[in-house]
Amino acid sequence: MNRRRRIYEGKAKILYEGPEPGTLIQHFKDDATAFNKKKHDIIDGKGVLNNRISEFVFNHLNEMGIPTHFLRRLNMREQLIREVEIIPLEVVVRNVAAGSLSKRLGIEEGTQLPRSIIEFYYKNDELDDPMVTEEHITAFGWANPQEIDDIMALAIRVNDFLSGLFLGVGIRLVDFKIECGRLWEGDMMRIVVADEISPDSCRLWDIETEEKLDKDRFRRDLGGMLEAYQDVARRLGILNDNERPLNGGPRLVQ
Ligand code: UDP
């Protein structure tokens, strides 16, 4: 039984009240959803892997001075985070054409983009997260121009870090999504990276085989989703070959 107060339940995570004011506990579920919940399944162990992978990424971002909401992992499925005011945008960074970009603009999946592209989507399930521009974001007050600048700068830094991290373990970072929040410290506010960064929110392709190691395995009924997530965790040095958590670093591909 869980006696903690539940603050919010999303598709793949639950937020509980934290042990101290200004903190929350982020719990990773095994639910996999796609197409705005029209497709749903339980993938045993996915939450545990995403908790570990996201912990690994956020720890590195914090160490690099890229501000995030992450404090520390608490257990197999939970992490302690700072409470932030979530900005209702999904910030997508793309390096290679795939998914909705390929469909919308007729660019073949796998085409390297001339430069990284940032897109914004308004977080609203009823509307299926429509794509929006900076004009919409400022006109409707979701974020001001300075905040949009800060969000874009964060997104680019995260992209640079993640691209290098995954390249080092033989994975091509095709695209990913982040969410940002306002962290208040007294009267001061700064924008930080929030939510999670995991194979649920990134497109990750094996560099040699182009095999998909991300949520597209579920979206496209390819099977082997858990195995793919385990592969990502193992390559990053989070799981050893017996699938037991280790503290080692990423394993470099020669
Ligand atoms: N993405 C996400 N949550 C969403 C929508 C997209 O994490 O609600 C991620 C997705 O995993 C991919 C990137 O954002 O890495 C770009 O997704 P895209 O716009 O191509 O949409 P999709 O094809 O997933 O519908």
Side-chain angles (χ1 to χ4, degrees):
M1 217 185 65
N2 214 321
R3 266 179 244 97
R4 284 175 309 194
R5 195 157 69 90
R6 197 169 56 182
I7 308 278
Y8 172 82
E9 177 151 8
K11 285 170 261 188
K13 293 189 295 294
I14 307 173
L15 291 180
Y16 295 101
E17 153 180 270
E20 290 160 39
T23 65
L24 296 175
I25 291 169
Q26 176 163 260
H27 176 108
F28 288 75
K29 302 192 284 184
D30 283 339
D31 298 64
T33 64
F35 313 117
N36 200 2
K37 282 204 236 175
K38 290 190 250 313
K39 189 174 163 71
H40 176 258
D41 207 349
I42 303 285
I43 309 288
D44 282 334
K46 177 178 81 81
V48 173
L49 285 163
N50 280 353
N51 185 23
R52 296 300 300 261
I53 295 170
S54 202
E55 171 200 18
F56 181 87
V57 170
F58 275 80
N59 265 333
H60 280 285
L61 294 178
N62 282 342
E63 279 162 17
M64 292 173 65
I66 300 176
T68 81
H69 72 162
F70 181 83
L71 290 168
R72 62 190 163 86
R73 186 170 62 83
L74 295 172
N75 55 50
M76 296 288 275
R77 288 189 182 272
E78 293 176 331
Q79 39 186 251
L80 185 67
I81 58 170
R82 287 183 204 279
E83 184 171 20
V84 300
E85 201 179 289
I86 288 286
I87 294 168
L89 297 173
E90 304 212 326
V91 181
V92 169
V93 183
R94 302 178 181 275
N95 301 305
V96 177
S100 68
L101 177 95
S102 290
K103 209 178 280 173
R104 201 168 53 240
L105 302 181
I107 303 173
E108 195 186 344
E109 285 213 320
T111 309
Q112 187 75 38
L113 298 172
R115 61 176 176 81
S116 302
I117 293 174
I118 302 180
E119 297 171 344
F120 299 105
Y121 295 83
Y122 176 47
K123 261 171 75 78
N124 185 316
D125 281 345
E126 278 167 36
L127 301 174
D128 272 347
D129 298 347
M131 185 154 95
V132 292
T133 68
E134 295 182 41
E135 282 285 289
H136 302 109
I137 297 169
T138 51
F140 297 119
W142 299 322
N144 66 35
Q146 177 61 56
E147 290 173 330
I148 296 176
D149 278 357
D150 292 351
I151 291 170
M152 291 177 75
L154 277 180
I156 290 165
R157 291 182 75 191
V158 172
N159 186 44
D160 287 345
F161 166 68
L162 284 183
S163 297
L165 174 74
F166 286 121
L167 184 64
V169 297
I171 292 174
R172 191 174 184 202
L173 177 66
V174 171
D175 57 31
F176 66 94
K177 182 263 305 184
I178 56 169
E179 293 182 27
C180 297
R182 297 183 186 94
L183 177 65
W184 290 93
E185 285 165 327
D187 282 347
M188 295 289 289
M189 185 278 290
R190 58 189 174 135
I191 306 281
V192 304
V193 183
D195 193 51
E196 70 175 289
I197 297 178
S198 73
D200 268 6
S201 58
C202 302
R203 281 200 172 90
L204 304 170
W205 294 357
D206 182 90
I207 283 179
E208 268 158 28
T209 64
E210 299 209 321
E211 190 192 356
K212 297 183 198 316
L213 303 172
D214 56 58
K215 195 166 144 183
D216 272 347
R217 298 213 73 85
F218 173 72
R219 292 191 193 98
R220 302 182 186 191
D221 290 320
L222 300 173
M225 185 191 197
L226 197 71
E227 292 74 10
Y229 285 33
Q230 278 169 342
D231 187 12
V232 172
R234 237 179 261 127
R235 292 194 204 200
L236 292 174
I238 299 167
L239 299 181
N240 70 12
D241 291 334
N242 299 323
E243 288 160 29
R244 285 219 320 277
L246 267 185
N247 290 324
R251 213 170 51 204
L252 274 176
V253 166
Q254 299 304 319

